[in-house]
Amino acid sequence: MCKIARRLAAVTFLAVFVMVQPVRAQTLPKGEDILDKNLEATGGKAAREKCKNRVEKGTIEITSIGIKGEVTIFAAAPNKMYFVTKLEGIGQIEEGCDGKVAWSINPTTGPRIKEGAERDSALRRADLEADANWRKYTKKAECTGEETVDGKPCYKVELTMTDGQTRTHCYDKSSYLLLKSSGAEKTANGDVNAESVFSDFRKVDGVLLPFKTKQTVISTEIIVTIDKVEHNVEIPENRFDLPGDIKKLAAKPSK
C-alpha cells in the first residue's frame, strides 16, 4: 500500500471511529428511565405507598469471624426506623430514627447521635417510601455503562444524591431489579467503602423485595437473610421513641 493510500485508510478509520462513538453512547438508556423501570418492576408507586409500615425478621452472619445472630427491623412512613441486631458473644446493637434524630447504641461506642452527612444517609434509608419517591433524594442519575453481577448483565448507574453523596447502582438489564449498590458509607470515623449485593427477590403485598443481602465492608462480609416480611401490622406507638440514653444526649446543648 502506497503512502497516500495508507494515509487515506487511517483517515477513513478515524472518521468511522468518531461516527460510531455517539451511536454507542445512544444505546445506553437514561438513568432516570432505569430508576422508573426499577420502581415499576418492584410493584409500582401505588403498591409501595399502600405499605404504611414494615416489619422484617431474619438472621445475620459475619462470615469472616464466624459470628451469627438475629435481625429485626421496624419501619414506618415517612421515615421512622428501629433496627436491632443480637450477635452471639457480642451483644445487642441498635439503630433508629424517629423522623428527625438518627442514633445508634452498641457495646463498642455506646449511645451516639448521628450528625451531618451520616444523619442524612440514615434519614434517607429510614424513609419507607424512598424508592417510590426517588426523585426527592436524587439530584442526578447517569447510566455510564454496563457491568455483570452474579452472571447477569446490568446497567451501571451513577447516582448523585441531593445531599451531595454518591452511589453506584447496577440494575439487571432484563428485569430492572437492583442487584448491587456500592459507595462510601458515612460513619463517625469517616467514609467507609461498602458494597451490597441483593438476591432472592420475593413479592410481599405487591412489592418485590430482596430477601438476601451480602454486604462487603472493607474485607468483612456480612450476610443478612430475611425470613419474614409483614406490612401494615400493629407496631407499639413508642417503638420509634428515642431511648433514654439518646434522649439525654439530644438534650445536651450543641457545642
Side-chain angles (χ1 to χ4, degrees):
M1 184 184 293
C2 68
K3 186 179 294 184
I4 294 177
R6 286 198 299 270
R7 288 180 179 175
L8 179 60
V11 171
T12 301
F13 291 149
L14 178 60
V16 171
F17 177 79
V18 171
M19 290 174 62
V20 168
Q21 297 315 298
V23 174
R24 288 180 177 173
Q26 290 172 7
T27 61
L28 292 175
K30 293 182 179 179
E32 293 86 350
D33 292 342
I34 294 175
L35 266 62
D36 280 336
K37 288 183 178 181
N38 168 257
L39 175 58
E40 182 180 351
T42 54
K45 187 173 182 178
R48 287 185 173 275
E49 290 182 342
K50 287 180 181 178
C51 301
K52 302 304 180 183
N53 66 43
R54 178 182 297 151
V55 179
E56 302 177 62
K57 295 183 179 181
T59 60
I60 183 172
E61 180 180 5
I62 306 176
T63 58
S64 58
I65 53 179
I67 291 179
K68 297 181 180 180
E70 299 177 351
V71 171
T72 304
I73 307 168
F74 296 88
N79 55 354
K80 294 181 179 181
M81 184 271 290
Y82 174 71
F83 186 121
V84 59
T85 304
K86 298 178 181 179
L87 294 173
E88 301 170 348
I90 294 179
Q92 183 167 289
I93 299 172
E94 299 173 89
E95 292 198 11
C97 178
D98 68 350
K100 295 181 180 179
V101 178
W103 55 272
S104 69
I105 301 176
N106 71 60
T108 303
T109 63
R112 186 173 65 84
I113 291 179
K114 299 179 181 181
E115 304 285 356
E118 186 186 17
R119 173 183 177 272
D120 294 340
S121 292
L123 288 172
R124 183 170 68 247
R125 289 195 299 270
D127 190 346
L128 194 61
E129 299 177 358
D131 290 335
N133 301 305
W134 63 263
R135 286 177 172 82
K136 175 181 177 181
Y137 298 103
T138 307
K139 182 179 180 180
K140 181 180 179 182
E142 181 181 5
C143 183
T144 58
E146 299 179 7
E147 185 173 326
T148 301
V149 178
D150 287 341
K152 298 178 181 178
C154 298
Y155 288 121
K156 185 176 180 180
V157 180
E158 303 292 343
L159 302 175
T160 302
M161 315 313 291
T162 53
D163 57 15
Q165 299 180 50
T166 58
R167 303 289 302 173
T168 300
H169 283 183
C170 292
Y171 296 90
D172 188 315
K173 290 180 65 176
S174 60
S175 67
Y176 287 95
L177 296 179
L178 174 61
L179 300 188
K180 187 173 78 170
S181 174
S182 60
E185 294 289 346
K186 303 296 180 180
T187 72
N189 298 317
D191 290 355
V192 176
N193 289 325
E195 178 183 284
S196 298
V197 176
F198 310 101
S199 60
D200 190 14
F201 288 83
R202 305 181 198 176
K203 186 168 288 189
V204 182
D205 299 320
V207 179
L208 198 61
L209 300 168
F211 273 60
K212 185 175 182 179
T213 300
K214 181 173 69 175
Q215 186 176 64
T216 304
V217 183
I218 308 177
S219 58
T220 301
E221 182 182 79
I222 303 170
I223 298 176
V224 176
T225 303
I226 299 300
D227 301 318
K228 185 178 182 180
V229 176
E230 294 180 290
H231 291 124
N232 301 328
V233 296
E234 185 174 347
I235 297 177
E237 292 183 6
N238 62 352
R239 176 70 284 171
F240 303 105
D241 290 353
L242 301 180
D245 289 340
I246 298 298
K247 285 182 180 179
K248 292 177 183 178
L249 292 177
K252 292 181 179 181
S254 302
K255 295 182 179 180

